Amino acid sequence: MKLSKVFFNAVFKNNPVFIQMIGLCSVLAITNSLMSAIAMGIAVTFVLIMSNGVVSILRGIIPDKIRIPCFIVVIATFVTIVQMVLQAFFPPIYDALGIFLPLIVVNCCILGEAEGFAYKNKLIPSLVDGLGTGIGYMMAVVAMGLVRELLGYGTLLDVQILPESYPGIGLMGAPAGAFILLGFYIAGYKLLLSRKKGD
């Protein structure tokens, strides 16, 4: 198995947000701020890498009939570690992510990679797949957060970018604006991929 192919497939060809359209709750909810988007992207990437690694190591031990509960226990362990670290060292980010931080446990993106890849493959490819999927997810949430914060509030990372007289587009801060923007991103991404295939 070629690791570079595993990585690029996870990032681009099977992007969890723009192609598979999974794990969208957090993408829509926390991307009204670029900082929250980056923090969620890092948290999801960490959990993906670690849970893929553990599931891959234990795949010969975990009984097939109870594999999903086992995956959830593994994922919940790493989500709890992320929660504790953020609560201890980065309280503003912990507060900003709110309920969507513990909900990483049921993020279909992570559970799907544990079931679809890590449970069937060796350790190194599983770690690479987790890293690629995490980067693909982070690419999507950062792209969303960048546009929503800039157009919605005129700021980036809480630094004023547009003139202070800029009134902001209220829709960009609301879930409806996130849905609309995500639709444009998905359409644009699929258009790019289809043109690349045509070359």
Side-chain angles (χ1 to χ4, degrees):
M1 182 177 291
K2 205 170 179 181
L3 294 180
S4 60
K5 188 177 179 185
V6 171
F7 178 78
F8 286 110
N9 277 350
V11 176
F12 299 109
K13 194 175 175 185
N14 294 319
N15 185 284
V17 176
F18 295 145
I19 298 297
Q20 298 185 61
M21 289 188 270
I22 53 177
L24 296 184
C25 292
S26 57
V27 174
L28 298 170
I30 55 87
T31 53
N32 56 357
S33 152
L34 182 57
M35 180 57 77
S36 297
I38 293 170
M40 181 59 88
I42 293 170
V44 167
T45 303
F46 170 78
V47 175
L48 265 165
I49 294 170
M50 300 308 291
S51 60
N52 263 17
V54 171
V55 167
S56 177
I57 291 170
L58 299 179
R59 72 186 192 283
I61 300 170
I62 298 173
D64 193 54
K65 287 184 180 175
I66 59 165
R67 68 187 187 284
I68 300 297
C70 292
F71 296 163
I72 291 175
V73 169
V74 170
I75 294 166
T77 302
F78 291 110
V79 171
T80 304
I81 292 171
V82 170
Q83 270 188 283
M84 293 171 73
V85 169
L86 287 180
Q87 191 172 17
F89 300 105
F90 307 99
I93 293 174
Y94 176 81
D95 293 337
L97 295 181
I99 187 65
F100 293 99
L101 192 55
L103 282 178
I104 292 175
V105 173
V106 289
N107 189 316
C108 297
C109 169
I110 298 170
L111 198 54
E113 291 307 310
E115 165 74 2
F117 196 94
Y119 192 61
K120 300 170 184 168
N121 289 284
K122 293 180 179 176
L123 176 62
I124 299 299
S126 297
L127 292 175
V128 172
D129 177 72
L131 176 65
T133 305
I135 289 175
Y137 176 89
M138 190 174 335
M139 184 175 77
V141 290
V142 167
M144 290 278 293
L146 194 134
V147 172
R148 287 185 72 190
E149 185 177 339
L150 185 63
L151 295 183
Y153 309 105
T155 62
L156 281 179
L157 298 172
D158 290 331
V159 176
Q160 191 71 37
I161 302 296
L162 299 179
E164 291 202 6
S165 57
Y166 174 70
I169 302 172
L171 186 65
M172 280 292 116
F179 269 110
I180 293 168
L181 182 62
L182 181 61
F184 278 112
Y185 270 125
I186 290 172
Y189 194 82
K190 290 194 171 183
L191 180 66
L192 278 176
L193 285 186
S194 65
R195 284 189 176 175
K196 194 167 183 325
K197 282 179 186 171
D199 287 343

